[in-house]
Amino acid sequence: MRQFFLFFYLTCSYIIANKVFQKKENIIAAITFIKKLAKISIILQLLYFAYLYITIPNYSPLKGFSYLSAVGVMGIIIYGGYVLVYYKGLKKITLLSLTLLTSALLGHSSSFFAVFAIVLVHFYISFSPKIRFITLGVLGVVMMLLLQLPQFTDANASWRLMYWNHVLETSVSKNWLIFGNGFGLPYMTIEFAQTLADKINSTFMLTGVNNEFERWVTPPHNSFLTIVHHIGLLPAFLILIPLKNFLKQIFIVPKSNDREELFLFYALFGLIAWVSFNVILEVPHSAICFWLIYFTYIFYGKSKV
């Protein structure tokens, strides 16, 4: 049931969105709510930092996790997109710097990566579509350099990369990228769990909180790969079909002049980066937040036609 709920949250979100977003005013209300969530998230996180400094002796945000909640992190990422769209000049630079700094101090490298990805795509889509193909190479080099930082090469990152490779290998060798493993099967083999223990001294999948069940309940910390594990790579691409406008904005069409649409684009882009490194769509509150942005963007685009 825990494995299947990833698709249960998606299905419930779609049913609700398909009913509620038939009216344009409801879409606008959702966008307003998303903006408020972003603002509240960064305010609460800054207050939480202050609380930790006051209550914990010798506290340092550079040691361990310091975020209030997964949804709070998502709100901070969304706020980065909000600042880029709705502010100008010194205020924009100041608030964007604050957002980047806050995301860097949360203890999750992927949170900073997500906000930084929004900044990169902001400049990237400012170029004409022809120039973008050239800048893709430059951005690729920048991203590769960023991934060489210690935060992305530690044991935590190595665990993710090895796990992702294992999931993809399993999908290719057993299911030809099409069928997936279904539900009720472990995300990794016992042999690979032992490999993690031997190579990077990670025994969690063998001796974790849920003991022998960890291989069933701890997905690969990339929700999209979790989907691939269950239903296969090619069926997982169905998620991209409703995002044709999203993909066009990245590769083909000029940057949108519609601020609401651009804000949703940045928010979704940043959250996709965040989801690609964490267990997000498998958990109800964070999954609902992601699918809210996903469906709001899709239905807002449809409402303009």
Side-chain angles (χ1 to χ4, degrees), residues 167-188:
V167 170
L168 286 175
E169 283 185 351
T170 302
S171 298
V172 173
S173 62
K174 292 185 177 180
N175 303 297
W176 301 287
L177 299 176
I178 299 174
F179 302 109
N181 296 297
F183 304 95
L185 296 176
Y187 291 108
M188 71 167 61

Side-chain angles (χ1 to χ4, degrees), residues 21 68 79 89 142 179 204 212 277 279 294:
F21 288 162
L68 189 57
Y79 187 72
V142 171
F179 302 109
F204 181 78
E212 71 270 23
F277 288 89
V279 179
Y294 175 91

Side-chain angles (χ1 to χ4, degrees), residues 85-111:
V85 173
Y86 296 102
Y87 292 121
K88 295 181 180 180
L90 181 60
K91 187 174 184 180
K92 179 178 182 176
I93 295 173
T94 302
L95 290 177
L96 183 60
S97 300
L98 175 65
T99 306
L100 285 166
L101 177 61
T102 301
S103 66
L105 296 177
L106 297 177
H108 250 297
S109 303
S110 51
S111 59

Side-chain angles (χ1 to χ4, degrees), residues 114-161:
V115 178
F116 188 70
I118 294 175
V119 176
L120 286 180
V121 81
H122 167 71
F123 290 106
Y124 166 75
I125 65 174
S126 297
F127 295 113
S128 67
K130 291 183 180 180
I131 301 298
R132 291 179 197 176
F133 289 99
I134 299 175
T135 57
L136 271 176
V138 177
L139 288 176
V141 172
V142 171
M143 299 304 285
M144 291 300 296
L145 292 174
L146 183 65
L147 291 173
Q148 299 308 310
L149 293 174
Q151 294 92 334
F152 292 97
T153 57
D154 58 11
N156 190 27
S158 298
W159 182 88
R160 279 172 165 78
L161 294 175

